[in-house]
């Protein structure tokens, strides 16, 4: 076994990207197991076929990397895979949840099991053209990054004490006109059980 403990953490972004791109070819001739320890979700996604999510010294999840990113199933797993919008939720039907802090109800494409503790919605999953799980919003502010916009918003029925939500969208034009409603595809509602 080759153990790599955060091998890219002290590198500048350009060198890190180049090494990560070359890394699979470098290891192809090794023919043994490699354990990569990282706090970077991007490194984990790009370099690992299997992913173990740990919290307080215990494995919460272990499985194929792409499957765990698509459905982390735990609160900590959602956080570690980059989900910014995580909140307590309750099961209200076989394919329905209510999110009291946001003042919304979501339908899902997966059956909601007993023991649900929360839901997550990734920032890129919100859509002004989605026709389901649509609610009015108030845009608070936006941050222009080199290749995307990061928009902070709140649902109109959201509790004052609830955290603002994050919406990320590709920067294809100059500053767009922000919508007054956003939807969430049923497949994008992450159901969290621990």
């Amino acid at each position: 076994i080759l153990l790599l403990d955060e091998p890219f953490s002290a590198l500048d972004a350009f060198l890190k990207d180049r090494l990560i791109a070359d890394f699979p070819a470098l290891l192809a001739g090794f023919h043994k197991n490699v354990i990569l320890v990282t706090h970077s979700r991007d490194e984990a996604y790009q370099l690992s076929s299997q992913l173990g999510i740990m919290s307080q010294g215990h494995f919460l999840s272990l499985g194929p990397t792409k499957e765990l990113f698509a459905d982390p199933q735990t609160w900590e797993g959602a956080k570690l895979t980059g989900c910014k919008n995580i909140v307590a939720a309750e099961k209200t039907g076989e394919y329905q949840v209510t999110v009291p802090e946001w003042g919304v109800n979501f339908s899902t494409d997966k059956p909601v099991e007993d023991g649900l503790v929360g839901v997550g919605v990734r920032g890129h999953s919100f859509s002004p053209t989605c026709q389901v799980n649509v609610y009015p919003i108030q845009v608070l502010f936006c941050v222009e990054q080199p290749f995307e916009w990061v928009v902070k918003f709140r649902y109109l029925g959201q509790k004052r004490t609830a955290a603002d939500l994050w919406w990320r969208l590709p920067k294809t034009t100059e500053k767009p006109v922000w919508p007054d409603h956003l939807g969430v595809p049923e497949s994008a509602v992450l159901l969290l059980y621990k």
Side-chain angles (χ1 to χ4, degrees):
I1 294 175
L2 176 62
L3 174 63
L4 301 171
D5 189 0
E6 301 203 42
F8 307 106
S9 63
L11 302 177
D12 65 69
F14 179 79
L15 181 57
K16 178 179 173 178
D17 289 346
R18 289 190 63 186
L19 284 175
I20 287 176
D22 294 339
F23 198 69
L26 290 171
L27 291 178
F30 184 62
H31 303 295
K32 292 186 176 32
N33 292 324
V34 177
I35 296 175
L36 172 68
V37 178
T38 183
H39 287 92
S40 167
R41 70 173 186 269
D42 295 336
E43 289 174 22
Y45 190 86
Q46 293 174 47
L47 299 174
S48 304
S49 60
Q50 295 286 313
L51 183 65
I53 297 175
M54 295 184 72
S55 178
Q56 300 180 357
H58 300 283
F59 278 103
L60 298 177
S61 306
L62 183 62
T65 300
K66 290 183 180 181
E67 288 180 22
L68 285 180
F69 268 78
D71 187 13
Q73 296 193 355
T74 67
W75 196 292
E76 194 65 24
K79 281 182 12 186
L80 291 173
T81 59
C83 187
K84 301 283 190 268
N85 306 300
I86 305 170
V87 66
E90 302 163 7
K91 175 180 179 176
T92 54
E94 186 177 358
Y95 291 89
Q96 296 286 323
V97 298
T98 186
V99 184
E101 286 190 46
W102 293 350
V104 300
N105 298 302
F106 286 142
S107 58
T108 69
D109 71 338
K110 294 184 193 121
V112 182
E113 299 172 17
D114 292 335
L116 182 81
V117 296
V119 295
V121 179
R122 296 194 187 280
H124 64 271
S125 296
F126 295 102
S127 170
T129 59
C130 182
Q131 301 297 310
V132 295
N133 298 322
V134 178
Y135 293 96
I137 65 160
Q138 175 190 14
V139 172
L140 304 175
F141 65 90
C142 62
V143 176
E144 181 179 5
Q145 295 186 339
F147 306 107
E148 68 180 355
W149 293 99
V150 178
V151 179
K152 288 283 208 121
F153 74 93
R154 296 180 69 79
Y155 286 115
L156 291 189
Q158 190 166 331
K159 290 184 178 179
R160 286 183 23 197
T161 56
D164 300 336
L165 289 98
W166 297 53
W167 173 31
R168 294 181 168 281
L169 65 156
K171 189 170 144 186
T172 55
T173 64
E174 293 302 314
K175 188 174 181 178
V177 175
W178 303 118
D180 59 2
H181 287 73
L182 283 176
V184 178
E186 292 173 327
S187 61
V189 178
L190 304 177
L191 303 173
L192 308 175
Y193 294 98
K194 293 181 192 171

